[in-house]
Amino acid sequence: MQAMILAAGFGARLLPHTLLRPKPLFPILNRELLLLTIARLQRVGFTRIVVNCHYLSEQIEAAVADVDGIILQKEEDILGTGGGLHKALGSFDAGPILVTNGDIYHTVDFGLLYQAHCAGNADVTMAMHDCPRFNTVSCTGARVDHFDARGEENALAFTGIHIIEPQVLAGIEPEGSSCIIERYHQLLREGGKISCYRADLELATDEKFFWTDIGSPQDYLELQGALLTGVAPCWPELVEAAAHPVAGAAEIAPAARLEEWNVIGAAKIGAGARVRRSVIWSGVEIAPGAEVCDTFLSGVEEDAMLLETAAKLLVDSGRECNMKRVKVLSPDGSNRRFWRLPNAVVVAPAGHAPAEMREAEAVWRIGSHLAVRHCAVPQVFAYDAGSGVLVMEDLGSLSLYNRVRELQTAKDFGGVKRLYEKVLAQLVSLQIEGGKAFDSSWCCDTPQYDENVMLVQESGYFLRAFWGSLLQRGEPAGIEKEFQALAARAGEAPANYFLHRDCQSRNIMLKKGEPRFIDFQGGRRGPLGYDLASLLLDPYVSLAPQLQEELIEYYCALLNRTAPEASVDRDLFQRQYEDLALQRNLQILGAFAFLSQQKCKPFFARFLKPSVAMLCRRLENPQFAILPLLRKMAAEAAAHFAI
């Protein structure tokens, strides 16, 4: 009999602990889950077992190196459950293939499931159970009907264990990543048969059914407690481990107290420490007198692990690695973490939430694209998808903001203008070239700047963070209609160009005098005028209105001269620019209010007053006569700031 264990995923919900080891190698009662699963399969007759791996694959490889009957499938790219299974076809014979996820603990009887499949005539047999949290598969008796059944009476949950006939896998596209459920959708449309095997009703003994994944730290902790308190039955392979959940190599001070249940590896527990209902991995040290309760400690020191990942990325990309001179950089308005090395900058997500990880991937995807299009951005040397760590070209410390302030102090306004003309030349290239072959799936936010973005992230941001939270004012009746009218009009501008989304002086570095754009992770498709407005309205440098007009004129001439495919009618562009500039002004006020008040970053508070003044001036334009309520709100804000 043959089987496959899916063990290639990143385990993002278990970060930062998965920086230390991949999820299938998390120990259960100090025994690695992957090896336990292999032992269970072999005990009932599975002699050929494929294990796929990608993230921290060298650890998976080392873990199974001495296990007979294992075929290791290393995947250079994540192929998903469908792609991974298709790739493994050459490792199997013509018989059925049992497939199981590598991160689940359960009482599904592999042998009974296999027998049930062989006794039937189904293409696939899925082990199902009733678990309201995950009930999404519609089943009628022993037949699976469809996979979008959340809330339906006959919905059941898929355990992640199934038996598949090889010809089903042959129908998967051979290239790229895919999910096996997508293939099952197709199989049902083709008239194929997928059987439902009620694993929770068909047990070989009178033990109760149990199933869990270890997808989160809490799930992982609760499983260990369930095993030691009898809530979950122990696999035969774990009986011995359950009797001795504290490793012999653990160093427990005589006065330390271990209460209720604990799973402790080769850790050190200090004198007087009290530990209960906790999982402590090898290498962890609990200080004397410490209280540890309902906790999972892996010992990961996250910043050190992130820098270690960065070092490996540098070496793998053929660059010199010197970790002896590491400098922490200020995150400015970002929540991300930054370090400067002698030859690179390391950027890591603020945490491990899906949105933060998507943002890191967007830097990699968008940055790589912009570099190929020869846009003025830093080179992204390498990216680690598991941790979100990026290693990037160091552009130095001189920003456009710093240099313009120097020139303004020296009253070199001609120098300011020449510098901005240089920036505009690079901006046109970024917008036009960056928009070519841009894939919106790279975006971590919306794929395009549109009316919804304006209403939620700009005028809505202004209402929530500035007007409501900072000024403590109620929302005027009818203001939503005004904002909808403004968004509809602003949304008429052509939007097939690359939009940086935060193109201001602190996001433009000067390397050897040449401008380079950073913080482009919010990039998407959008109109030309928005980034231009972001650059010229920038409250950090407060460009004079006359200079702004001259730079708009220069930009339009530059656009018509160097990018005829994006040439603009000057009067129409000006009207569209004004609408987009007002949207940006509202966004700025929302952002500065949020950062200064809710994120406790007082640096941004100083720019609220000039941004309100800028809003008042902009609304004097007859073009905004359609916004009487907003004009009134701006006047009230001006009075609040004594403008």
Short mmCIF file of all heavy atoms in Angstrom, two decimals, residues 45 48 63 82 95 102 108 133 151 158 167 171 203 208 211 255 293 301 358 396 422 446 456 460 483 506 584 592 595:
data_model
loop_
_atom_site.label_atom_id
_atom_site.label_comp_id
_atom_site.label_asym_id
_atom_site.label_seq_id
_atom_site.Cartn_x
_atom_site.Cartn_y
_atom_site.Cartn_z
N GLY A 45 0.43 -1.30 7.26
CA GLY A 45 0.79 -1.90 5.99
C GLY A 45 1.21 -0.98 4.86
O GLY A 45 1.43 -1.44 3.73
N ARG A 48 5.20 2.17 1.10
CA ARG A 48 5.77 3.22 0.25
C ARG A 48 5.08 4.54 0.62
O ARG A 48 3.88 4.71 0.41
CB ARG A 48 5.55 2.90 -1.22
CG ARG A 48 6.11 3.97 -2.17
CD ARG A 48 5.74 3.69 -3.61
NE ARG A 48 6.24 2.39 -4.04
CZ ARG A 48 6.00 1.86 -5.24
NH1 ARG A 48 5.26 2.52 -6.11
NH2 ARG A 48 6.48 0.68 -5.56
N ALA A 63 14.98 14.50 9.17
CA ALA A 63 14.10 13.73 10.06
C ALA A 63 13.77 12.36 9.49
O ALA A 63 13.64 11.38 10.24
CB ALA A 63 12.81 14.52 10.32
N GLY A 82 -2.79 19.97 -4.81
CA GLY A 82 -2.98 19.36 -6.13
C GLY A 82 -1.67 19.22 -6.88
O GLY A 82 -1.34 18.14 -7.39
N GLY A 95 -2.03 1.51 -7.97
CA GLY A 95 -3.03 1.32 -6.92
C GLY A 95 -3.47 2.61 -6.28
O GLY A 95 -2.94 3.70 -6.55
N GLY A 102 0.04 16.65 7.00
CA GLY A 102 1.10 16.38 7.96
C GLY A 102 0.97 17.12 9.27
O GLY A 102 1.86 17.03 10.12
N VAL A 108 -8.67 8.59 13.04
CA VAL A 108 -9.10 7.94 11.79
C VAL A 108 -8.27 6.67 11.61
O VAL A 108 -7.04 6.70 11.69
CB VAL A 108 -8.91 8.88 10.59
CG1 VAL A 108 -9.30 8.17 9.29
CG2 VAL A 108 -9.73 10.15 10.76
N ARG A 133 -17.23 23.70 13.20
CA ARG A 133 -16.24 24.73 12.89
C ARG A 133 -15.76 24.63 11.44
O ARG A 133 -15.42 25.62 10.81
CB ARG A 133 -15.06 24.57 13.85
CG ARG A 133 -13.90 25.52 13.64
CD ARG A 133 -12.80 25.19 14.65
NE ARG A 133 -11.56 25.87 14.37
CZ ARG A 133 -10.39 25.56 14.92
NH1 ARG A 133 -10.34 24.57 15.80
NH2 ARG A 133 -9.30 26.22 14.62
N GLY A 151 -23.17 25.96 6.49
CA GLY A 151 -24.51 26.33 6.95
C GLY A 151 -25.59 25.36 6.53
O GLY A 151 -26.71 25.42 7.04
N PHE A 158 -14.09 17.90 6.25
CA PHE A 158 -13.06 17.04 5.67
C PHE A 158 -11.90 16.94 6.66
O PHE A 158 -11.40 17.94 7.16
CB PHE A 158 -12.61 17.65 4.35
CG PHE A 158 -11.50 16.92 3.65
CD1 PHE A 158 -11.40 15.53 3.70
CD2 PHE A 158 -10.55 17.62 2.91
CE1 PHE A 158 -10.38 14.86 3.04
CE2 PHE A 158 -9.53 16.96 2.25
CZ PHE A 158 -9.44 15.58 2.32
N GLN A 167 -5.61 7.97 -11.58
CA GLN A 167 -6.09 8.67 -12.78
C GLN A 167 -6.72 10.02 -12.45
O GLN A 167 -6.78 10.92 -13.29
CB GLN A 167 -7.09 7.80 -13.56
CG GLN A 167 -8.38 7.48 -12.84
CD GLN A 167 -8.30 6.16 -12.09
OE1 GLN A 167 -7.20 5.70 -11.76
NE2 GLN A 167 -9.44 5.54 -11.85
N GLY A 171 -5.38 14.08 -14.02
CA GLY A 171 -6.17 15.16 -14.60
C GLY A 171 -5.81 16.54 -14.10
O GLY A 171 -6.43 17.54 -14.50
N LEU A 203 -15.20 3.31 13.74
CA LEU A 203 -13.95 3.08 14.45
C LEU A 203 -13.76 1.59 14.70
O LEU A 203 -14.72 0.84 14.90
CB LEU A 203 -13.94 3.83 15.78
CG LEU A 203 -14.01 5.37 15.68
CD1 LEU A 203 -14.18 5.98 17.06
CD2 LEU A 203 -12.77 5.92 15.02
N LYS A 208 -13.46 6.83 21.51
CA LYS A 208 -14.21 7.95 20.92
C LYS A 208 -13.38 8.61 19.82
O LYS A 208 -12.15 8.57 19.83
CB LYS A 208 -14.56 8.97 22.00
CG LYS A 208 -13.36 9.58 22.72
CD LYS A 208 -13.82 10.49 23.84
CE LYS A 208 -12.62 11.02 24.65
NZ LYS A 208 -13.05 11.88 25.77
N TRP A 211 -10.23 14.45 16.47
CA TRP A 211 -9.49 15.05 15.34
C TRP A 211 -9.15 16.49 15.68
O TRP A 211 -9.98 17.23 16.23
CB TRP A 211 -10.34 15.03 14.07
CG TRP A 211 -9.65 15.65 12.87
CD1 TRP A 211 -8.96 15.00 11.90
CD2 TRP A 211 -9.60 17.05 12.52
NE1 TRP A 211 -8.48 15.89 10.97
CE2 TRP A 211 -8.86 17.16 11.34
CE3 TRP A 211 -10.10 18.21 13.10
CZ2 TRP A 211 -8.61 18.38 10.72
CZ3 TRP A 211 -9.84 19.44 12.49
CH2 TRP A 211 -9.12 19.51 11.30
N ALA A 255 13.64 23.10 43.65
CA ALA A 255 12.53 23.87 44.22
C ALA A 255 11.49 24.27 43.17
O ALA A 255 10.50 24.95 43.50
CB ALA A 255 13.06 25.12 44.92
N CYS A 293 2.09 29.56 32.85
CA CYS A 293 0.80 28.88 32.91
C CYS A 293 0.09 28.98 31.56
O CYS A 293 0.06 30.06 30.95
CB CYS A 293 -0.07 29.50 34.00
SG CYS A 293 -1.70 28.75 34.17
N GLU A 301 13.82 33.49 19.64
CA GLU A 301 14.05 34.92 19.85
C GLU A 301 13.90 35.53 18.47
O GLU A 301 14.80 35.46 17.62
CB GLU A 301 15.44 35.17 20.43
CG GLU A 301 15.59 34.59 21.82
CD GLU A 301 16.97 34.85 22.39
OE1 GLU A 301 17.70 35.69 21.81
OE2 GLU A 301 17.32 34.23 23.39
N ARG A 358 1.17 39.17 3.44
CA ARG A 358 0.85 39.54 2.05
C ARG A 358 1.61 40.80 1.65
O ARG A 358 2.04 40.93 0.51
CB ARG A 358 -0.66 39.75 1.88
CG ARG A 358 -1.48 38.48 1.85
CD ARG A 358 -2.87 38.73 1.28
NE ARG A 358 -3.60 39.73 2.02
CZ ARG A 358 -4.36 39.49 3.08
NH1 ARG A 358 -4.47 38.25 3.53
NH2 ARG A 358 -5.01 40.46 3.70
N GLY A 396 21.08 54.14 1.36
CA GLY A 396 21.65 55.20 2.19
C GLY A 396 20.60 55.88 3.04
O GLY A 396 19.48 55.38 3.19
N LYS A 422 13.93 66.27 -11.64
CA LYS A 422 14.60 64.97 -11.75
C LYS A 422 13.71 63.86 -11.20
O LYS A 422 13.63 62.76 -11.78
CB LYS A 422 15.93 65.04 -10.97
CG LYS A 422 16.83 63.85 -11.18
CD LYS A 422 18.14 63.99 -10.41
CE LYS A 422 19.08 64.95 -11.09
NZ LYS A 422 20.44 64.88 -10.45
N THR A 446 -6.02 46.47 -2.46
CA THR A 446 -6.92 46.33 -3.61
C THR A 446 -6.11 46.27 -4.90
O THR A 446 -5.01 46.81 -4.97
CB THR A 446 -7.89 47.53 -3.68
OG1 THR A 446 -7.13 48.72 -3.88
CG2 THR A 446 -8.68 47.65 -2.39
N VAL A 456 -13.50 54.42 1.25
CA VAL A 456 -13.12 53.71 2.48
C VAL A 456 -11.81 54.22 3.04
O VAL A 456 -11.70 54.53 4.23
CB VAL A 456 -13.03 52.19 2.22
CG1 VAL A 456 -12.53 51.46 3.46
CG2 VAL A 456 -14.39 51.65 1.81
N GLY A 460 -13.39 58.15 3.87
CA GLY A 460 -13.81 57.40 5.05
C GLY A 460 -12.77 57.48 6.17
O GLY A 460 -13.11 57.59 7.35
N PHE A 483 -19.17 62.87 -0.74
CA PHE A 483 -17.98 62.07 -0.99
C PHE A 483 -18.20 61.10 -2.15
O PHE A 483 -17.27 60.82 -2.91
CB PHE A 483 -17.58 61.30 0.28
CG PHE A 483 -16.92 62.16 1.33
CD1 PHE A 483 -17.08 61.88 2.68
CD2 PHE A 483 -16.15 63.26 0.98
CE1 PHE A 483 -16.48 62.66 3.65
CE2 PHE A 483 -15.54 64.05 1.94
CZ PHE A 483 -15.71 63.76 3.28
N ARG A 506 9.44 61.47 1.94
CA ARG A 506 10.10 60.54 2.86
C ARG A 506 10.17 59.13 2.29
O ARG A 506 10.83 58.27 2.87
CB ARG A 506 9.37 60.54 4.21
CG ARG A 506 9.45 61.89 4.91
CD ARG A 506 8.54 61.96 6.12
NE ARG A 506 9.01 61.12 7.20
CZ ARG A 506 9.91 61.50 8.11
NH1 ARG A 506 10.45 62.70 8.06
NH2 ARG A 506 10.27 60.68 9.08
N ARG A 584 -6.37 62.86 -1.94
CA ARG A 584 -5.11 62.66 -1.23
C ARG A 584 -5.05 63.52 0.03
O ARG A 584 -4.57 63.07 1.07
CB ARG A 584 -3.93 63.00 -2.15
CG ARG A 584 -2.57 62.91 -1.49
CD ARG A 584 -2.24 61.50 -1.05
NE ARG A 584 -0.90 61.42 -0.47
CZ ARG A 584 -0.36 60.32 0.02
NH1 ARG A 584 -1.03 59.19 0.01
NH2 ARG A 584 0.87 60.33 0.51
N PHE A 592 -2.46 61.18 9.37
CA PHE A 592 -1.74 61.91 10.42
C PHE A 592 -2.49 61.86 11.75
O PHE A 592 -1.89 61.77 12.82
CB PHE A 592 -1.52 63.36 10.01
CG PHE A 592 -0.46 63.54 8.94
CD1 PHE A 592 -0.39 64.71 8.20
CD2 PHE A 592 0.46 62.54 8.69
CE1 PHE A 592 0.58 64.88 7.23
CE2 PHE A 592 1.44 62.70 7.72
CZ PHE A 592 1.50 63.88 6.98
N LEU A 595 -1.91 58.17 13.07
CA LEU A 595 -0.54 57.91 13.52
C LEU A 595 -0.20 58.68 14.79
O LEU A 595 0.45 58.16 15.69
CB LEU A 595 0.45 58.27 12.41
CG LEU A 595 0.45 57.33 11.19
CD1 LEU A 595 1.24 57.94 10.04
CD2 LEU A 595 1.02 55.97 11.56
#
